[in-house]
Protein backbone atom coordinates (compact mmCIF):
# COMPACT_ATOMS: atom_id res chain seq x y z
CA UNK A 1 0.00 0.00 0.00
CA UNK A 2 1.34 3.41 -0.99
CA UNK A 3 1.60 6.01 1.76
CA UNK A 4 1.78 9.75 1.27
CA UNK A 5 2.83 12.61 3.49
CA UNK A 6 0.08 15.19 3.98
CA UNK A 7 2.59 17.99 3.39
CA UNK A 8 1.86 17.57 -0.33
CA UNK A 9 -1.92 17.96 0.08
CA UNK A 10 -3.53 20.86 -1.80
CA UNK A 11 -6.66 22.88 -0.97
CA UNK A 12 -8.07 25.57 -3.26
CA UNK A 13 -11.14 27.70 -2.59
CA UNK A 14 -12.81 30.39 -4.68
CA UNK A 15 -12.86 33.81 -3.03
CA UNK A 16 -15.69 36.36 -3.19
CA UNK A 17 -14.13 37.88 -6.31
CA UNK A 18 -14.39 34.56 -8.15
CA UNK A 19 -10.66 33.72 -8.10
CA UNK A 20 -9.50 30.26 -7.04
CA UNK A 21 -6.96 30.63 -4.22
CA UNK A 22 -4.49 27.98 -3.07
CA UNK A 23 -4.39 28.32 0.72
CA UNK A 24 -2.55 25.02 1.30
CA UNK A 25 0.52 26.66 2.84
CA UNK A 26 -1.66 28.06 5.67
CA UNK A 27 -3.54 24.84 6.46
CA UNK A 28 -2.47 22.24 9.00
CA UNK A 29 -5.70 20.21 9.10
CA UNK A 30 -8.49 19.19 6.71
CA UNK A 31 -11.29 16.93 7.91
CA UNK A 32 -14.60 15.75 6.46
CA UNK A 33 -13.91 14.81 2.85
CA UNK A 34 -15.32 12.98 1.00
CA UNK A 35 -17.92 12.88 3.79
CA UNK A 36 -20.97 10.97 4.95
CA UNK A 37 -24.27 10.27 3.23
CA UNK A 38 -27.62 9.32 4.66
CA UNK A 39 -29.02 5.85 4.35
CA UNK A 40 -32.81 5.68 4.52
CA UNK A 41 -34.26 2.50 5.94
CA UNK A 42 -36.75 0.66 3.72
CA UNK A 43 -37.08 -2.57 5.70
CA UNK A 44 -40.50 -4.13 5.17
CA UNK A 45 -42.55 -6.72 7.02
CA UNK A 46 -41.17 -10.17 6.32
CA UNK A 47 -37.59 -8.98 5.61
CA UNK A 48 -34.93 -10.94 7.47
CA UNK A 49 -32.57 -7.99 7.83
CA UNK A 50 -32.43 -4.25 7.51
CA UNK A 51 -32.48 -2.71 4.01
CA UNK A 52 -31.46 0.83 3.10
CA UNK A 53 -31.44 3.11 0.07
CA UNK A 54 -29.02 5.95 -0.50
CA UNK A 55 -30.18 9.34 0.71
CA UNK A 56 -28.76 12.83 0.70
CA UNK A 57 -25.17 13.82 1.31
CA UNK A 58 -24.68 16.23 4.22
CA UNK A 59 -21.00 17.02 4.10
CA UNK A 60 -19.34 19.59 6.33
CA UNK A 61 -15.62 20.16 5.82
CA UNK A 62 -13.44 21.60 8.57
CA UNK A 63 -10.13 23.26 7.72
CA UNK A 64 -7.75 25.00 10.07
CA UNK A 65 -4.29 26.45 10.28
CA UNK A 66 -2.15 29.43 11.16
CA UNK A 67 -3.36 33.02 10.76
CA UNK A 68 -2.05 35.34 8.06
CA UNK A 69 -3.75 38.50 6.79
CA UNK A 70 -1.63 39.01 3.65
CA UNK A 71 -3.86 40.84 1.16
CA UNK A 72 -5.57 38.58 -1.43
CA UNK A 73 -3.62 35.41 -0.54
CA UNK A 74 -3.64 34.98 3.24
CA UNK A 75 -6.37 32.82 4.78
CA UNK A 76 -7.97 35.77 6.60
CA UNK A 77 -8.22 37.79 3.36
CA UNK A 78 -9.66 34.80 1.48
CA UNK A 79 -11.85 33.17 4.13
CA UNK A 80 -12.96 36.18 6.20
CA UNK A 81 -15.25 37.62 3.48
CA UNK A 82 -16.70 34.16 2.72
CA UNK A 83 -18.28 34.11 6.19
CA UNK A 84 -21.01 36.52 5.07
CA UNK A 85 -21.09 35.54 1.37
CA UNK A 86 -24.30 33.81 0.28
CA UNK A 87 -22.92 32.50 -3.02
CA UNK A 88 -21.86 28.85 -3.22
CA UNK A 89 -18.11 28.97 -3.98
CA UNK A 90 -16.02 26.16 -5.50
CA UNK A 91 -13.32 24.21 -3.66
CA UNK A 92 -11.05 21.31 -4.47
CA UNK A 93 -8.83 19.09 -2.37
CA UNK A 94 -5.97 16.90 -3.51
CA UNK A 95 -4.88 14.68 -0.60
CA UNK A 96 -1.82 13.56 -2.58
CA UNK A 97 -1.16 16.85 -4.39
CA UNK A 98 -2.34 18.30 -7.71
CA UNK A 99 -0.25 16.42 -10.26
CA UNK A 100 -2.16 15.31 -13.36
CA UNK A 101 -3.94 12.03 -12.67
CA UNK A 102 -4.02 12.41 -8.86
CA UNK A 103 -7.36 12.12 -7.02
CA UNK A 104 -9.26 15.35 -6.44
CA UNK A 105 -12.39 15.92 -4.34
CA UNK A 106 -14.36 18.98 -5.38
CA UNK A 107 -17.67 20.75 -4.94
CA UNK A 108 -19.21 24.02 -3.90
CA UNK A 109 -19.66 25.31 -0.38
CA UNK A 110 -21.08 28.05 1.80
CA UNK A 111 -19.10 28.94 4.88
CA UNK A 112 -20.88 27.89 8.07
CA UNK A 113 -18.26 29.36 10.39
CA UNK A 114 -14.90 31.11 10.55
CA UNK A 115 -13.16 31.48 13.92
CA UNK A 116 -9.86 32.94 15.06
CA UNK A 117 -8.16 31.48 18.12
CA UNK A 118 -5.56 33.29 20.22
CA UNK A 119 -3.93 31.56 23.16
CA UNK A 120 -1.08 32.84 25.32
CA UNK A 121 2.19 31.23 24.26
CA UNK A 122 0.81 29.97 20.92
CA UNK A 123 0.43 31.25 17.38
CA UNK A 124 -2.87 32.76 16.23
CA UNK A 125 -4.88 30.04 14.53
CA UNK A 126 -8.06 29.91 12.47
CA UNK A 127 -10.71 27.29 11.82
CA UNK A 128 -13.39 27.29 9.11
CA UNK A 129 -16.42 25.06 8.60
CA UNK A 130 -17.63 24.69 5.04
CA UNK A 131 -21.11 23.32 4.33
CA UNK A 132 -21.05 21.53 0.98
CA UNK A 133 -23.87 22.53 -1.36
CA UNK A 134 -24.98 19.45 -3.29
CA UNK A 135 -22.50 16.60 -3.53
CA UNK A 136 -18.74 16.08 -3.34
CA UNK A 137 -17.31 14.85 -6.65
CA UNK A 138 -14.35 12.47 -6.84
CA UNK A 139 -12.28 13.02 -9.97
CA UNK A 140 -8.69 13.66 -11.00
CA UNK A 141 -6.49 16.66 -11.75
Amino acid sequence: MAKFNSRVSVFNITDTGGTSRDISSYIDEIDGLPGPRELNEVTALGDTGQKDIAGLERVRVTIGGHYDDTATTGPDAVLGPLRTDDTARAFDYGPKGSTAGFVKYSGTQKMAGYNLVSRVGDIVKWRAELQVQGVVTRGTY
Side-chain angles (χ1 to χ4, degrees), residues 38-61:
E38 290 180 347
L39 293 175
N40 299 310
E41 186 177 349
V42 292
T43 309
L45 295 174
D47 285 340
T48 58
Q50 182 173 318
K51 294 181 183 174
D52 299 285
I53 59 171
L56 299 173
E57 287 190 21
R58 291 182 198 249
V59 179
R60 186 169 281 204
V61 181

Side-chain angles (χ1 to χ4, degrees), residues 46-128:
D47 285 340
T48 58
Q50 182 173 318
K51 294 181 183 174
D52 299 285
I53 59 171
L56 299 173
E57 287 190 21
R58 291 182 198 249
V59 179
R60 186 169 281 204
V61 181
T62 303
I63 56 176
H66 56 280
Y67 178 82
D68 189 314
D69 63 355
T70 302
T72 72
T73 60
D76 193 62
V78 174
L79 300 174
L82 290 175
R83 191 181 71 77
T84 57
D85 185 28
D86 198 35
T87 301
R89 304 288 179 174
F91 71 89
D92 64 71
Y93 167 56
K96 205 169 103 168
S98 59
T99 301
F102 284 1
V103 171
K104 169 176 72 170
Y105 293 97
S106 58
T108 59
Q109 60 77 36
K110 290 185 180 180
M111 184 171 289
Y114 175 64
N115 299 300
L116 301 176
V117 180
S118 295
R119 179 171 289 160
V120 173
D122 200 358
I123 63 170
V124 178
K125 297 178 183 180
W126 59 269
R127 186 170 190 82

